[in-house]
């Protein structure tokens, strides 16, 4: 494919929102949302990235308001959604919950980040 | 020195200035976007197609510059870049107001990323670049070779515990440009310092690390940027350093970052008389080969 066609294909794919197969994995969405305040403690954390993930090499640490970092389980794959990971939560007290994630995309690019959400008193 | 001669000297210094890849860098969750006045602090597999600028150094003449560059990683931390510029200079007294059209100095750059601290969103690189001043179009190229020693850094403010400033990032570059001793332009070969700083406000970082405001994709992928560029003579084989004035330029605009490419536009403003009197416009289109072709063109050679 000549370069102009390659460029056009890239533009088209992006414009149509087609997820590329390989790239750096950046967090685009979290459920619960980044920075949100929740009325009740969520049971699961779902993180959606820009790219497919190598789940065995990804880690998520969930730290509760008392500083205990065992409020989340191991990341699990979401069938049909290679760009997502699911973490079971065990939040026992209200307050600020810190989420630190390390992601490895399918082409081994590494990214990491930290955000928080709050469980109301 | 006459105005025409000063203008000519400025133009020659401007088009002979070192050129760099203006790429992007990823550190943790931080993307230091491609900037137009300074290079980013990382190595990568990407192409710049092209950088387009229209500047009016003296308020009358116009310089249009198309930059083409390709960057390739040799190892994860070592990269090489090659490129050149195609210039169109019009209405310039230095050229009797005749249009000058041609290629600027071709250049090659070797860059090494020596420090990355993802938890502090910090990265630093060093580079050496050789510009071949007799390799372009006579009268457009500088007429002498330039060796550049450069240092770069990038620091995201995400580790500062105050949310309003966490989306900000700062990048910087400092170069020492060493000219060889064979001037053919009649204006002497010039050693000088160049550099700059960029201040970036990352909306993607805001959305993914601080608070998800549910912004639409066009806005969510935007990074507003302010840049300050600077150049100052160091030594000169024919003229005293004071003959080449210190210049300061400010540029501001925004960068749209997608997975495979980025688009940016900035307005270039001279901050002192030596930097010119006209307003310039710079645009860039970048292709990220490391994300487009991670198994072939976009991976390190070793």
């Amino acid at each position: 494919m000549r370069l102009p066609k390659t460029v056009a294909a890239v533009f088209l794919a992006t414009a149509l929102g087609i997820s590329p197969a390989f790239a750096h994995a950046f967090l685009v969405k979290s459920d619960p949302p980044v920075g949100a305040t929740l009325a009740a403690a969520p049971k699961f954390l779902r993180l959606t990235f820009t790219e497919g993930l190598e789940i065995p090499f990804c880690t998520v640490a969930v730290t509760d308001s008392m500083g205990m970092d065992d409020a989340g389980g191991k990341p699990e794959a979401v069938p049909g959604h290679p760009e997502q990971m699911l973490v079971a939560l065990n939040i026992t007290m209200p307050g600020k919950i810190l989420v630190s994630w390390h992601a490895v995309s399918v082409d081994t690019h590494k990214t990491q980040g930290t955000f928080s959400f709050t469980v109301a008193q | 020195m006459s105005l025409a001669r000063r203008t000519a000297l400025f133009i020659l210094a401007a088009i002979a200035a070192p050129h760099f890849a203006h790429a992007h860098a990823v550190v943790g969750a931080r993307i230091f976007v491609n900037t137009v006045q300074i290079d980013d602090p990382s190595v990568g597999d990407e192409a710049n197609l092209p950088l387009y600028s229209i500047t009016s150094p003296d308020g009358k003449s116009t310089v249009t510059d198309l930059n083409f560059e390709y960057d390739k990683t040799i190892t994860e931390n070592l990269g090489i870049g090659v490129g050149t510029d195609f210039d169109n200079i019009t209405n310039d007294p230095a050229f009797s107001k005749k249009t000058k059209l041609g290629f600027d100095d071709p250049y090659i750059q070797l860059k090494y990323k020596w420090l990355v601290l993802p938890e502090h969103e910090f990265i630093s690189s060093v580079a050496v670049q050789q510009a071949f001043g007799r390799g372009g179009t006579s009268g457009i190229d500088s007429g002498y070779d330039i060796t550049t020693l450069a240092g770069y850094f990038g620091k995201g403010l995400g580790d500062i515990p105050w949310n309003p400033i966490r989306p900000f990032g700062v990048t910087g570059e400092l170069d020492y440009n060493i000219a060889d001793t064979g001037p053919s332009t009649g204006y002497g070969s010039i050693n000088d310092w160049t550099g700059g700083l960029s201040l970036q406000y990352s909306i993607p970082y805001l959305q993914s690390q601080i608070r998800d405001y549910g912004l639409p994709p066009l806005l969510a992928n935007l990074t507003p940027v302010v840049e300050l560029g600077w150049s100052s003579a160091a030594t000169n084989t024919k003229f005293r350093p004071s003959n080449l004035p210190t210049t300061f330029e400010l540029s501001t605009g925004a960068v749209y970052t997608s997975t495979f490419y980025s688009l940016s536009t900035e307005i270039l403003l001279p901050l002192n008389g030596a930097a010119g009197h006209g307003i310039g416009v710079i645009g860039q289109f970048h292709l990220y080969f490391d994300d487009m072709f991670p198994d072939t063109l976009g991976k390190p050679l070793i």
Side-chain angles (χ1 to χ4, degrees), chain B:
Chain B
M1 191 162 45
S2 69
L3 178 62
R5 190 172 175 80
R6 285 182 64 88
T7 303
L9 187 58
F10 172 83
I11 294 283
L12 284 166
I15 63 178
H19 305 276
F20 292 98
H22 303 102
H24 77 312
V26 176
V27 186
R30 172 77 55 179
I31 302 175
F32 294 111
V33 295
N34 47 288
T35 45
V36 299
Q37 292 204 64
I38 60 173
D39 193 6
D40 83 285
S42 188
V43 297
D45 290 281
E46 49 196 66
N48 182 18
L49 301 169
L51 186 150
Y52 181 76
S53 63
I54 304 172
T55 56
S56 182
D58 58 359
K60 297 174 183 174
S61 60
T62 301
V63 179
T64 304
D65 180 302
L66 300 172
N67 172 255
F68 301 88
E69 179 164 320
Y70 175 63
D71 299 304
K72 181 83 199 83
T73 53
I74 299 170
T75 68
E76 183 182 351
N77 295 322
L78 182 66
I80 191 169
V82 293
T84 190
D85 300 65
F86 187 78
D87 294 334
N88 181 12
I89 303 171
T90 59
N91 202 34
D92 190 329
F95 302 123
S96 303
K97 297 191 175 183
K98 292 179 180 174
T99 297
K100 284 292 285 188
L101 197 68
F103 285 96
D104 203 342
D105 304 357
Y107 57 93
I108 184 168
Q109 184 195 58
L110 201 61
K111 192 174 185 183
Y112 182 66
K113 178 175 65 178
W114 68 279
L115 182 62
V116 181
L117 301 172
E119 62 273 21
H120 295 293
E121 300 172 5
F122 183 84
I123 184 171
S124 184
S125 301
V126 292
V128 59
Q129 174 170 299
Q130 183 66 46
F132 302 98
R134 302 169 189 86
T137 304
S138 180
I140 295 288
D141 63 14
S142 56
Y144 51 90
D145 296 343
I146 302 171
T147 304
T148 298
L149 307 175
Y152 311 88
F153 80 92
K155 174 73 180 86
L157 303 187
D159 57 349
I160 295 178
W162 189 41
N163 283 344
I165 67 167
R166 288 180 62 208
F168 283 100
V170 178
T171 66
E173 172 180 342
L174 179 63
D175 317 319
Y176 186 64
N177 309 298
I178 306 162
D180 76 357
T181 55
S184 61
T185 62
Y187 292 98
S189 52
I190 301 157
N191 289 4
D192 66 351
W193 293 92
T194 55
L197 293 168
S198 83
L199 180 65
Q200 311 176 4
Y201 186 86
S202 175
I203 295 176
Y205 192 94
L206 169 72
Q207 289 273 106
S208 67
Q209 303 295 307
I210 300 166
R211 181 157 188 171
D212 185 352
Y213 289 97
L215 299 173
L218 182 64
L219 194 57
N221 291 319
L222 217 55
T223 302
V225 176
V226 177
E227 296 182 55
L228 176 67
W230 154 79
S231 71
S232 184
T235 62
N236 190 315
T237 56
K238 279 197 169 182
F239 297 99
R240 290 175 308 205
S242 59
N243 283 1
L244 186 67
T246 298
T247 65
F248 294 98
E249 290 179 303
L250 185 77
S251 60
T252 184
V255 181
Y256 177 85
T257 306
S258 179
T259 304
F260 289 149
Y261 69 89
S262 73
L263 287 167
S264 64
T265 302
E266 293 190 31
I267 294 173
L268 188 65
L269 305 165
L271 290 184
N272 62 348
H277 302 282
I279 296 175
V281 178
I282 303 177
Q284 279 195 95
F285 173 52
H286 251 84
L287 289 171
Y288 301 147
F289 290 149
D290 55 344
D291 289 329
M292 295 171 68
F293 312 109
D295 297 325
T296 54
L297 197 61
K299 70 176 185 179
L301 294 173
I302 302 172

Side-chain angles (χ1 to χ4, degrees), chain A residues 32-94:
Chain A
V34 173
T37 298
L38 310 173
K43 299 295 183 188
F44 292 95
L45 171 69
R46 182 188 298 257
L47 303 179
T48 304
F49 290 81
T50 53
E51 314 303 329
L53 302 167
E54 290 286 356
I55 296 294
F57 300 103
C58 298
T59 61
V60 177
V62 182
T63 306
D64 65 19
S65 57
M66 298 299 289
M68 305 298 289
D69 62 0
D70 58 352
K74 288 185 66 175
E76 295 177 11
V78 179
H81 294 280
E83 76 285 5
Q84 293 185 351
M85 60 170 117
L86 196 66
V87 177
L89 299 177
N90 181 28
I91 298 170
T92 57
M93 60 187 68

